[in-house]
């Protein structure tokens, strides 16, 4: 029963990915497809892969899709769009896909019509796992890092290429960028950076008045004469 | 039929909590309901704890009007939020708006399946144990994005994006620390991890075997729970209330609940992964063994186990509540910097150290 529920939800969500008007809804139905597929994997006994689906597909890929779709101002498709103009080519591709699926699926093990449900069926025991039960993770590690390690290394190289590509695409010009150094700015002394018109540096009094102008707008302390007048 | 047997087998292997192995029917719902009750009471206690500890830090008296010593404060808060008007933004996406908080709560509640309170006091002793928590906590950013987007508010949207970015950034150091623990304890099952820490009492904790991992795990789990100092998504000054701005009433209560539930589950995971779980960690004292005369009826033993787990979890709760009220908030770029450029290399280095020490020990 759970199998039927999960499969039907996955199929309906897949359909809604294509048919939703709002692209954000589309991506959310996409997430639903992955959730249901994860449930199907659990039913198959592949618990580790189900969790990997959740982590990688939903937690990383779907979040990435959501970021992109939410931040771009994609216009919501019109309600009365003409769907029928896609029918010839999509119909042919769909029929080819169905035909291939029926080639692969074996009709004896998957009954298409639920005619007679046998409720007193024997549970089949996998005796091998009573002797030594390996978890999914152990099985995967046992094969992936020993017999098929080349494919593992190749996939890590592909990920490296993707990472370098992302960095290259988004890297700013780092050579001649002006940046602020806060500590240096705080250590600046107006006496050393300001030069008067005739090439002299500021005297101590003038530096003090300059600082007053900077901080308060006018020299506050009376009794100090400016150079312009009383 | 093969499909039926697979289902029954899978469901059985998912619910092997000791006592109920041979009982079918609806009785499996009782441990689940018990856990939900415990969690709810736990959240009420944490809300009260937070008020009291923050009051102590700020040198004032905490809640004192709702019940003696303010114990019923959380219930008063919950009732207030229940009775408030449930506002919906007029041009926001109402379905996404309504579903967002639920996804955040559901993903946190599902993580309680694998926490052991005792040897047989776990809802689901899965082979992939801790990894279930990692996987399901990856769904939480989806709920935050939905809430932020559906609110029809620039600031909520920005807060939602930041919250999701923060969540996915700190998942990776978290996962790598958990991976190091799994390597150390040869198993991902939480019960196995606690059992691996049971031999030398206090000195058998994973805290001593993975000190760097402990610190990275603390910081990352604080960031995942969106507690201060990683509070930017709910920042009161910058973003009004981030992705929670437009929420009122029971939906806001769901976010509130999700935040404290997340804190509780993180502290329980710190206990299980690093502090030895339910083991009575003072070495050479055989007190628990005196009461485990009969495994099936060791009720006192089970109570002690639960009590020890909660006491150890309280340590992390205290640390996180104290941190919230002492440290200032980090900016989003500092936060993401810390996650990607500091914690990720450190946790990778921790993983390398762990794997090399495993090689040496083998």
């Amino acid at each position: 029963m759970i199998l039927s529920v999960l499969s039907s939800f996955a199929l309906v969500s897949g359909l809604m990915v294509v048919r939703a008007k709002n692209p954000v809804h589309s991506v959310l139905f996409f997430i639903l497809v992955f959730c249901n597929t994860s449930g199907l994997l659990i039913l198959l006994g592949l618990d580790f892969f189900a969790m990997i689906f959740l982590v990688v597909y939903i937690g990383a890929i779907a979040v990435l899709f959501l970021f992109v779709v939410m931040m771009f101002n994609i216009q919501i498709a019109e309600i009365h769009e003409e769907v029928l103009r896609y029918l010839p080519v999509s119909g042919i591709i769909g029929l080819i896909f169905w035909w291939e699926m029926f080639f692969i699926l074996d009709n004896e093990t998957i009954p298409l019509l639920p005619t007679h449900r046998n409720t007193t069926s024997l549970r089949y025991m996998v005796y091998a796992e009573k002797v030594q039960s390996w978890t999914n993770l152990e099985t995967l590690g046992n094969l992936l890092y020993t017999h098929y390690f080349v494919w593992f290394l190749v996939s890590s190289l592909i990920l490296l290429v993707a990472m370098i590509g992302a960095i290259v695409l988004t890297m700013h010009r780092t050579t001649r960028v002006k940046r602020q150094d806060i500590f240096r700015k705080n250590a600046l002394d107006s006496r050393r950076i300001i030069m008067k018109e005739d090439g002299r540096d500021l005297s101590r009094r003038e530096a003090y008045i300059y600082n007053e102008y900077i901080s308060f707008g006018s020299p506050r302390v009376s009794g100090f004469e400016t150079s312009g007048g009383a | 039929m093969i499909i039926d047997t697979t289902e029954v087998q899978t469901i059985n292997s998912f619910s092997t909590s000791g006592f109920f192995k041979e009982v079918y029917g609806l009785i499996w719902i009782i441990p689940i309901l018990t856990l939900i009750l415990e969690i709810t009471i736990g959240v009420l206690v944490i809300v009260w704890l937070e008020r009291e500890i923050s009051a102590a830090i700020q040198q004032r008296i905490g809640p004192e009007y709702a019940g003696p010593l303010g114990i019923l404060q959380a219930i008063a808060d919950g009732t207030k939020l229940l009775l408030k008007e449930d506002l919906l933004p007029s041009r926001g996406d109402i379905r996404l708006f309504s579903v967002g908080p639920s996804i955040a709560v559901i993903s946190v509640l599902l993580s309680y399946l694998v926490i052991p309170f005792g040897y047989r006091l776990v809802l689901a002793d899965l082979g992939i144990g801790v990894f279930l928590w990692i996987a399901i906590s990856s769904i939480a950013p989806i709920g935050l994005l939905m809430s932020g987007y559906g609110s029809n508010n620039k600031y909520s949207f920005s807060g939602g994006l930041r919250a999701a970015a923060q969540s996915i950034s700190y998942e990776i150091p978290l996962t790598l620390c958990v991976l190091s623990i799994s390597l150390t304890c040869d198993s991902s099952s939480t019960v196995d991890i606690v059992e691996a820490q049971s031999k030398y009492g206090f000195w058998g904790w994973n805290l001593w075997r993975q000190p760097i991992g402990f610190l990275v795990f603390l910081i990352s789990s604080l960031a995942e729970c969106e507690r201060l100092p990683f509070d930017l998504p709910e920042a009161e000054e910058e973003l009004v209330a981030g992705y929670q701005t437009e929420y009122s009433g029971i939906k806001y209560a769901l976010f509130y609940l999700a935040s404290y539930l997340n804190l509780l589950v993180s502290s329980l995971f710190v206990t299980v992964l690093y502090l030895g779980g339910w083991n009575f960690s003072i070495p050479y004292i055989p007190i628990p063994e005196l009461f485990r005369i009969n495994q099936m009826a060791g009720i006192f033993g089970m109570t002690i186990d639960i009590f020890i787990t909660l006491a150890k979890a309280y340590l992390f709760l205290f640390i996180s509540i104290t941190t919230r009220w002492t440290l200032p908030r980090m900016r989003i770029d500092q936060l993401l910097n810390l996650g990607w450029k500091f914690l990720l290399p450190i946790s990778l280095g921790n993983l390398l150290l762990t794997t090399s020490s495993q090689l040496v020990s083998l």
Side-chain angles (χ1 to χ4, degrees):
Chain A
M1 199 263 290
I2 297 183
L3 174 69
S4 333
V5 167
L6 285 175
S7 312
S8 52
F9 273 156
L11 286 171
V12 166
S13 308
L15 188 67
M16 288 307 294
V17 171
V18 185
R19 291 295 298 156
K21 294 189 255 307
N22 191 350
V24 177
H25 289 175
S26 214
V27 178
L28 290 172
F29 279 116
F30 192 49
I31 291 174
L32 260 184
V33 170
F34 284 133
C35 283
N36 291 312
T37 314
S38 173
L40 285 175
L41 282 173
I42 292 182
L43 280 182
L44 279 173
L46 301 171
D47 48 5
F48 181 67
F49 289 96
M51 298 301 122
I52 291 285
F53 256 62
L54 288 179
V55 172
V56 172
Y57 281 117
I58 301 181
I61 295 181
V63 169
L64 179 70
F65 272 51
L66 267 179
F67 265 84
V68 169
V69 159
M70 282 181 180
M71 286 203 285
F72 286 176
N73 189 12
I74 301 178
Q75 305 297 327
I76 295 182
E78 308 235 334
I79 298 179
H80 299 297
E81 61 174 0
E82 300 172 10
V83 188
L84 285 178
R85 62 195 167 118
Y86 292 126
L87 193 57
V89 182
S90 69
I92 293 175
I93 297 178
L95 280 175
I96 293 177
F97 182 60
W98 265 65
W99 180 67
E100 277 182 6
M101 274 213 307
F102 280 116
F103 247 143
I104 295 172
L105 294 176
D106 205 342
N107 266 334
E108 285 106 34
T109 53
I110 301 184
L112 289 176
L113 291 173
T115 48
H116 177 62
R117 288 202 187 277
N118 191 6
T119 53
T120 61
S121 55
L122 294 168
R123 291 174 53 184
Y124 73 103
M125 286 286 235
V126 181
Y127 284 102
E129 73 181 21
K130 300 269 177 191
V131 177
Q132 181 193 16
S133 151
W134 279 21
T135 61
N136 264 310
L137 199 47
E138 283 174 2
T139 322
L140 187 65
N142 201 27
L143 284 178
L144 190 62
Y145 298 106
T146 54
H147 298 289
Y148 301 108
F149 70 96
V150 180
W151 297 355
F152 170 66
L153 290 174
V154 166
S155 65
S156 71
L157 279 177
I158 295 176
L159 283 173
L160 185 67
V161 166
M163 210 161 65
I164 294 179
I167 294 175
V168 162
L169 282 174
T170 58
M171 198 165 67
H172 292 296
R173 193 178 62 145
T174 53
T175 48
R176 266 176 272 154
V177 173
K178 291 189 195 164
R179 288 214 171 96
Q180 280 187 6
D181 188 3
I182 308 256
F183 304 113
R184 184 177 265 248
K185 284 261 173 189
N186 276 338
L188 287 176
D189 185 10
S190 55
R191 286 177 62 199
R192 277 187 268 138
I193 59 170
I194 295 180
M195 214 192 276
K196 291 183 70 157
E197 277 175 354
D198 43 4
R200 282 189 298 120
D201 283 335
L202 291 179
S203 68
R204 226 178 110 231
R205 195 182 86 175
E206 285 164 337
Y208 183 78
I209 296 172
Y210 175 77
N211 272 333
E212 293 284 307
Y213 268 111
I214 294 288
S215 331
F216 305 109
S218 63
R220 282 186 317 169
V221 184
S222 61
F224 231 86
E225 294 174 11
T226 65
S227 53
Chain B
M1 295 227 302
I2 295 181
I3 299 174
D4 285 339
T5 55
T6 316
E7 286 176 20
V8 175
Q9 212 173 18
T10 318
I11 296 174
N12 263 351
S13 71
F14 261 28
S15 62
T16 54
S17 54
F19 297 116
F20 299 102
K21 231 178 202 174
E22 61 273 358
V23 181
Y24 299 117
L26 277 182
I27 215 162
W28 51 266
I29 212 168
I30 294 182
I32 298 180
L33 285 179
T34 316
L35 189 68
I36 292 184
L37 189 69
E38 279 180 26
I39 299 172
T40 317
I41 297 180
V43 169
L44 299 179
V45 168
I46 295 180
V47 171
W48 176 77
L49 259 182
E50 169 141 27
R51 302 285 178 102
E52 284 286 326
I53 295 178
S54 66
I57 292 177
Q58 296 172 344
Q59 293 180 340
R60 56 183 172 88
I61 312 176
E64 54 186 357
Y65 294 112
L69 273 184
I71 287 184
L72 303 178
Q73 179 66 40
I75 301 183
D77 280 344
T79 317
K80 172 197 83 165
L81 285 169
L82 257 177
L83 297 175
K84 280 200 175 182
E85 179 190 354
D86 188 21
L87 297 168
L88 298 171
S90 64
R91 277 196 272 166
D93 199 336
I94 307 228
R95 276 173 286 181
L96 290 185
F97 186 80
S98 310
V99 172
S102 320
I103 293 193
V105 172
I106 288 174
S107 73
V108 172
L109 274 179
L110 278 177
S111 315
Y112 281 91
L113 283 174
V114 289
I115 297 180
F117 290 94
Y119 183 63
R120 294 175 188 274
L121 301 173
V122 56
L123 273 190
D125 187 12
L126 304 175
I128 45 170
V130 205
F131 202 53
L132 183 90
W133 172 52
I134 301 283
I136 291 185
S137 73
S138 305
I139 303 185
I142 307 282
L144 307 179
L145 280 171
M146 284 164 67
S147 324
Y149 175 78
S151 302
N152 198 23
N153 182 348
K154 280 197 276 283
Y155 303 103
S156 296
F157 182 53
S158 176
L161 288 176
R162 287 184 186 182
Q166 178 181 327
S167 270
I168 62 178
S169 309
Y170 283 88
E171 260 167 30
I172 302 183
L174 197 72
T175 312
L176 289 172
C177 290
V178 165
L179 186 60
S180 310
I181 294 279
S182 292
L183 274 171
T184 314
C185 302
D186 270 339
S187 167
S188 294
S189 159
T190 47
V191 176
D192 284 346
I193 293 178
V194 175
E195 286 287 303
Q197 301 175 55
S198 60
K199 275 180 45 179
Y200 307 108
F202 182 56
W203 301 107
W205 285 358
N206 267 336
L207 175 58
W208 316 118
R209 298 178 198 165
Q210 297 261 317
I212 311 171
F214 177 63
L215 289 172
V216 174
F217 190 88
L218 271 182
I219 301 175
S220 307
S221 58
L222 270 181
E224 280 284 323
C225 300
E226 277 161 29
R227 305 269 307 174
L228 267 151
F230 304 106
D231 206 8
L232 200 69
E234 312 168 4
E236 279 94 29
E237 289 89 26
E238 284 98 4
L239 290 172
V240 187
Y243 58 90
Q244 300 172 6
T245 314
E246 299 282 335
Y247 284 90
S248 65
I250 196 64
K251 297 195 180 106
Y252 181 73
L254 277 180
F255 273 127
Y256 193 63
L257 192 69
S259 172
Y260 286 112
L261 280 174
N262 212 353
L263 183 65
L264 184 59
V265 83
S266 296
S267 56
L268 282 169
F269 266 107
V270 168
T271 317
V272 162
L273 294 178
Y274 288 97
L275 297 180
W278 69 77
N279 295 306
F280 184 66
S281 294
I282 305 176
Y284 310 122
I285 295 185
I287 289 185
E289 270 67 37
L290 291 177
F291 293 102
R292 285 190 209 283
I293 308 163
N294 183 1
Q295 273 285 6
M296 289 292 281
I299 304 260
F300 191 71
M302 290 200 304
T303 317
I304 285 197
D305 286 347
I306 299 179
F307 184 67
I308 293 175
T309 312
L310 292 176
K312 290 181 186 174
Y314 170 71
L315 192 66
F316 179 70
L317 279 175
F318 184 73
I319 292 177
S320 71
I321 295 176
T322 319
T323 314
R324 178 178 190 178
W325 294 101
T326 50
L327 292 181
R329 180 179 297 137
M330 294 177 76
R331 269 194 338 247
I332 189 75
D333 60 326
Q334 290 171 336
L335 206 151
L336 294 177
N337 227 3
L338 183 71
W340 290 103
K341 293 193 199 169
F342 183 70
L343 288 180
L344 177 62
I346 285 189
S347 53
L348 269 177
N350 183 28
L351 184 66
L352 272 176
L353 272 177
T354 313
T355 47
S356 49
S357 71
Q358 290 289 101
L359 270 180
V360 165
S361 74
L362 280 174

